[in-house]
Amino acid sequence: MILAHPQLESVLDLSGEKVQTMVIENQDFFRGFLQDIQSQIDGFSGKTVISEKNKILDWPKYGELMDRFLSLSLNRKPLLTKISSAMETQAMSEAFYGRSVQLLSQVEQYLDDLTFAMDCDVTCGQCTIAGLLKAAGITLREDYADPMEQLLDYMELVRCYEREKLFVFVNLRSFRSEEHT
C-alpha cells in the first residue's frame, strides 16, 4: 500500500513487513494532514491518497485513523455485523447444519406453544440463525489488562473479518515505550 500527499517530499511505501513511522513536526501540517484523512474517512474529498497496485483506494473502506487507545472498543457495529455473518455461515456449514435446523425447529415449537397459551391472537415470524444471533447479543470480550494487546486484537479482527486496512496511529508512542513492543 502507498500513502501520498502533495506536501510530502515522497510517497510512503507501506507494503513492507515493518511498521512505518512518520514524524510531523509542523503543527499546522500535522493537524491538517489528520483532518484531511478523517474528512475522507467521513466521506468527503481530500488530498491524502492511499493506493495499491496503482489503484486509488477509498479511505472509509481501506483506512482507519486511530487516535484513542485507552477507550478503544472492539465492539464496533461493522465488525460485529461481519462476525455475526461469519457465525451464520458457520451455522449452515456441514459441521453445524443438523444442529442448526434442529434448534430452529425447537425454538419455533416453543414459540408456538407460548402463543397458543396466550389469551390473545399472537403470531411469531419464522426463526432464523441470523435472528437468534441478533437476539443473543453477540459481543467481543474486552477485559484486557494491556490496551496495546486489545489494539492488536482489534487490528487482527478487522483484517480477518473485514479486509486489509491501513491503520494510521496518532501519537501511539506516547502510550508505549519501545522496550515494551
Side-chain angles (χ1 to χ4, degrees):
M1 197 174 284
I2 303 288
L3 181 129
H5 187 280
Q7 288 182 272
L8 294 176
E9 291 178 11
S10 61
V11 298
L12 296 172
D13 184 358
L14 307 169
S15 59
E17 293 293 319
K18 295 189 176 191
V19 174
Q20 300 292 320
T21 301
M22 181 168 62
V23 177
I24 301 174
E25 294 179 353
N26 181 305
Q27 293 172 340
D28 292 332
F29 177 65
F30 178 69
R31 182 180 58 254
F33 182 72
L34 295 177
Q35 286 174 330
D36 182 68
I37 291 172
Q38 186 61 57
S39 175
Q40 290 186 70
I41 289 172
D42 292 340
F44 300 100
S45 61
K47 299 175 186 176
T48 309
V49 176
I50 51 174
S51 65
E52 191 163 47
K53 298 178 183 172
N54 294 322
K55 180 184 176 211
I56 295 176
L57 304 176
D58 291 330
W59 272 101
K61 284 186 179 178
Y62 294 95
E64 195 162 330
L65 185 64
M66 308 286 293
D67 62 349
R68 300 183 72 188
F69 308 108
L70 297 178
S71 62
L72 173 68
S73 175
L74 301 181
N75 291 301
R76 295 181 179 189
K77 187 170 174 57
L79 183 57
L80 291 175
T81 299
K82 299 282 185 180
I83 290 170
S84 290
S85 178
M87 290 176 74
E88 184 177 355
T89 300
Q90 180 74 1
M92 300 317 283
S93 71
E94 187 176 335
F96 288 92
Y97 183 77
R99 288 173 55 194
S100 297
V101 171
Q102 182 182 15
L103 176 64
L104 288 175
S105 175
Q106 289 173 343
V107 170
E108 285 180 353
Q109 183 60 52
Y110 176 72
L111 291 174
D112 283 345
D113 293 346
L114 283 177
T115 59
F116 186 71
M118 299 298 294
D119 291 336
C120 55
D121 193 14
V122 178
T123 61
C124 295
Q126 185 178 4
C127 289
T128 63
I129 294 296
L132 286 177
L133 291 172
K134 185 174 182 177
I138 304 297
T139 59
L140 294 163
R141 180 185 64 84
E142 292 189 316
D143 58 341
Y144 289 84
D146 182 1
M148 293 304 111
E149 181 184 344
Q150 184 174 5
L151 179 62
L152 288 172
D153 281 356
Y154 173 73
M155 291 170 32
E156 288 177 17
L157 288 166
V158 167
R159 182 173 169 246
C160 180
Y161 291 103
E162 289 185 26
R163 66 181 49 84
E164 291 284 338
K165 276 190 174 184
L166 171 63
F167 291 94
V168 177
F169 300 107
V170 180
N171 296 325
L172 180 60
R173 286 186 178 202
S174 299
F175 291 91
R176 193 71 177 192
S177 64
E178 286 195 33
E179 63 256 7
H180 290 103
T181 52

